[in-house]
Amino acid sequence: MLEASSVQALLGPTNTGKTHRAMERMLEHPTGMIGLPLRLLAREVYDRLTAKVGEARVALITGEERRAPKRPDYWVCTVEAMPVSREVDFVAVDEVQLAAHDQRGHVFTDRVLHARGRRETWFLGSDSMRGFFSEHVPVARVTTHPRLSRLRYAGPSTLARVPPRSAIVAFSMSQVYEIAERLRAIRGGCAVVLGALSPRTRNAQVAMYQSGEVDYLVATDAIGMGLNLDVRHVAFAALRKFDGRDTRAVGLAELAQIAGRAGRYVQDGTFGTLSPLSLPLELSDAIEAHLTDPVRRVYWRRHELDFSDLDALNASLLEPPRQRGFARVTDADDAKALAHLGQRPEVRALLRGPDDVRRLWDVCSVPDFRKLLFEAHADMLAAVFLALGDGASPLSDDWLDERVSPLDSDQGDVETLVARIASVRTWTFIANRAGWVRDPTHWQERTRAIEDSLSDALHQRLVLRFVDEVGARRPVAAPTPRRAPAQEPAEAPRGHPFAALAAMRARLSPAAREPSPRDDGWIESLIDAEHRALSVDASGRVRFRERVVARIIPGADITRPDARLLDLDELPAGARTRALRRLVAYARDLAGSVVGPLQRELPSDARGLAWRLAQRLGSAPREEVAELVDALDPAAREALTSIGVVLGARAVFLPSSLRPEALRARAALAGVFHGGVVELPPGRVALRAPPRADANTLRAMGFLRVAGFVVRADLVERIASAPSPLDVREAATWLGLPLAGARQVLGALRGVPPEAP
């Protein structure tokens, strides 16, 4: 039995220096190990330790990364990856209150009960664990330290009034993106931190915030776990979150952990909400006073599992705890995967002994980084296990290359790159498993290189999407002119992310100069220009002051185009980057001006149809989306109707996407994405189908094919659903066609449904 003085529990609120104290204490011992809750935090601690003692003495062990010198003295790990069988003098486990987490909790519980240093052991976490240690680890000496700074509630505020050096916290990626877009519009931009980001992307985003390049950070609750940032105010954008199964209220302990990120070291901090949201008085008072609800239940799993056969393994996973306050894990991903794979005959055929069962369990323990449907994750795990076979030979290089190579592309938007990084993390995790890969060094380096490339591209996309660099460093409340010659007035506060009143007046003045790629003032005017100063033609060429400056190019999909600069090679690299950001923003906003209503938050039953319509830029023949329309429940129909969608008998469309300005944007986007430029006379709602016109382009432009003609989608529905039969002359008036053409269209709509191009 360990002496009481050899085990300590450092419990208390955030910003008490617990992790820092543990690091310093570990360095006082010849050897040590610290387990941390996040890969990002493990990497941060590793960097700090190696700066003190050098890389030759420190190992970094996470599921996806292993940096182990020959004889390390100190081990920095994620809690799950701690090599607890290795004896060291000092052991620390951070954020032990996660023992109450329904997925990961059993690992933290196991570490608290069984992980020990030869000389000293520290457990760090919330004061909510005080009762747990008193009852289940009575040898632990519980100590607390006061918070180094004061934390107070500042109440609700609008996004426009959130103070600089703030973190706005949401609990879904979609809400993070929405808030970041709004901050770009009103404050010039922000950094974004998500749990799904790689360390490289996260570090680049945080560096942008820490350096003051942007004054705002939008994040998920990933910032709550010990990431040290210069945050003075935390604003909650939501108080409910989806935890993987249900949407629930965020608990007091979680709110306190996140709010505590405000005010680091001795600098006081504040927390609040985005109005109209507000915190109940009892919650805000509890957070200010650092009060937390005690953890009354932790999750548990048998310390040593039985691998004698599959049934024995399942039985050991189902074994109930014998201690009060412990709950058996009931819905863990690894156990679900084991139950699923254990039912497959081809998997069971390979289970000939304990080694095979242990290998299957190791495969089932590969995390679901991609967060897709469970069946997709299970299929991937089954493929890995079957490829490993009897374990005598590792995964072949060809087999791995077939799965890794498609991920080696830095093209696409933010969501595409995040998904790709998640997939690469899976293969990095696999490459780090002993004996699974022929040449682990090669595959670890390759997957890391792909992740680095994707991370750099992701950081660039995040900056392009959420930062207007011109305005990011210039607070709205105190605008500072970029340049102030004597003859020019200072810039006024901007009401639009790309608008500066003085610059606009200069552009419209008679003295405005002809554009030149060497003219820095011209480039600044381009970057500051309002959207209306830019124009795009049917081939996707973007003009500014009559000069073609870029071409819109395909992105991840038709609603998220990219841009390529044209004839601006002589610009400095920084100016090119800023100009490209501006033009990509223009291209994205061009698409958003057409399909924006379809991208709003909608009931789940309505999202499929909204997405399908958005991919067609707002309109589609009814028969093409009939199964989605027919499956709509009343709430989904009402939601779609509320944003303007017409669920017609012959056409489903968003009327705003058929207005003249939207049709011009659709023509450009359709030509770029489908590769077929079709120029239709302006203002025409129907005309004979242009010869050799690309069918997909016509449809994306808002026209449906009817009897050798193309007719705008809303006119197709208007004619088909007319309360009384139209005569040919009236139809000709509506369509702007000769009588003969109107007769053909009218006959087709009365008898044969219009053909989808």
Side-chain angles (χ1 to χ4, degrees), residues 537-539 558 594 613-620 654 656-674 676-682 684-685 687 690 693-704 710-714 757:
D537 62 22
S539 64
I558 198 168
V594 177
L613 280 179
Q615 294 304 305
R616 285 146 183 78
L617 294 180
S619 56
L654 183 69
S656 61
S657 72
L658 297 170
R659 294 171 182 165
E661 64 275 13
L663 288 171
R664 288 192 291 271
R666 291 181 70 163
L669 295 168
V672 165
F673 194 81
H674 294 296
V677 177
V678 179
E679 295 193 17
L680 301 180
R684 293 294 298 273
V685 298
L687 67 161
D694 180 77
N696 290 324
T697 303
L698 286 170
R699 182 180 59 186
M701 291 171 67
F703 288 81
L704 306 182
V710 288
V711 182
R712 209 171 68 190
D714 56 339

Side-chain angles (χ1 to χ4, degrees), residues 392-678:
S393 58
L395 301 172
S396 73
D397 290 345
D398 289 343
W399 190 90
L400 284 167
D401 185 70
E402 183 180 344
R403 288 153 179 81
V404 172
S405 289
L407 304 174
D408 192 6
S409 168
D410 61 5
Q411 300 303 303
D413 63 358
V414 168
E415 291 82 357
T416 301
L417 293 172
V418 167
R420 223 171 266 151
I421 288 174
S423 295
V424 170
R425 290 178 67 188
T426 300
W427 299 109
T428 302
F429 188 97
I430 288 171
N432 276 280
R433 298 310 299 258
W436 284 18
V437 178
R438 293 182 189 279
D439 187 352
T441 302
H442 164 74
W443 285 104
Q444 289 164 16
E445 290 177 352
R446 181 172 177 189
T447 54
R448 188 178 301 123
I450 293 174
E451 182 177 313
D452 287 348
S453 174
L454 292 171
S455 298
D456 291 342
L458 176 57
H459 172 63
Q460 182 187 49
R461 300 298 195 283
L462 288 170
V463 172
L464 284 170
R465 182 167 173 180
F466 300 128
V467 179
D468 165 24
E469 187 173 324
V470 174
R473 298 172 181 153
R474 183 173 53 208
V476 172
T480 303
R482 188 188 320 284
R483 54 189 187 282
Q487 69 274 17
E488 284 191 17
E491 290 182 2
R494 301 181 309 162
H496 185 280
F498 303 109
L501 184 58
M504 182 179 70
R505 287 173 177 166
R507 289 195 305 274
L508 298 177
S509 70
R513 295 171 291 172
E514 288 299 314
S516 165
R518 298 183 182 88
D519 183 350
D520 289 341
W522 176 76
I523 289 300
E524 296 297 340
S525 296
L526 167 63
I527 294 168
D528 271 346
E530 289 183 309
H531 282 343
R532 65 182 179 183
L534 301 170
S535 62
V536 62
D537 62 22
S539 64
R541 292 176 299 183
V542 181
R543 294 178 182 271
F544 174 64
R545 292 187 183 173
E546 302 305 315
R547 179 188 180 89
V548 176
V549 293
R551 182 185 295 277
I552 296 177
I553 61 175
D557 62 43
I558 198 168
T559 68
R560 290 173 286 185
D562 285 322
R564 178 184 295 128
L565 298 180
L566 298 177
D567 299 325
L568 298 178
D569 294 336
E570 294 181 16
L571 287 177
R576 283 182 58 82
T577 299
R578 294 169 63 208
L580 181 60
R581 289 176 187 168
R582 172 67 187 91
L583 291 161
V584 169
Y586 170 72
R588 298 285 171 87
D589 286 350
L590 189 72
S593 69
V594 177
V595 300
L598 296 169
Q599 297 174 327
R600 296 175 187 167
E601 192 68 23
L602 293 168
S604 57
D605 287 346
R607 291 174 198 159
L609 178 59
W611 183 86
R612 186 82 66 88
L613 280 179
Q615 294 304 305
R616 285 146 183 78
L617 294 180
S619 56
R622 170 66 182 247
E623 64 265 27
E624 189 177 278
V625 292
E627 75 285 358
L628 294 172
V629 175
D630 294 340
L632 294 174
D633 61 23
R637 286 177 179 270
E638 182 179 352
L640 289 167
T641 302
S642 71
I643 63 172
V645 174
V646 175
L647 304 173
R650 296 297 183 90
V652 178
F653 59 95
L654 183 69
S656 61
S657 72
L658 297 170
R659 294 171 182 165
E661 64 275 13
L663 288 171
R664 288 192 291 271
R666 291 181 70 163
L669 295 168
V672 165
F673 194 81
H674 294 296
V677 177
V678 179

Side-chain angles (χ1 to χ4, degrees), residues 30-77:
T31 61
M33 180 185 302
I34 184 168
L36 299 148
L38 296 175
R39 177 194 182 195
L40 296 175
L41 184 55
R43 183 56 186 267
E44 180 180 305
V45 170
Y46 171 80
D47 290 341
R48 289 165 63 187
L49 283 178
T50 54
K52 286 178 174 287
V53 302
E55 292 187 4
R57 296 186 62 193
V58 187
L60 174 65
I61 307 295
T62 70
E64 305 120 83
E65 194 169 11
R66 183 181 179 88
R67 297 189 177 196
K70 289 184 179 180
R71 287 181 293 275
D73 296 321
Y74 305 107
W75 299 76
V76 180
C77 319

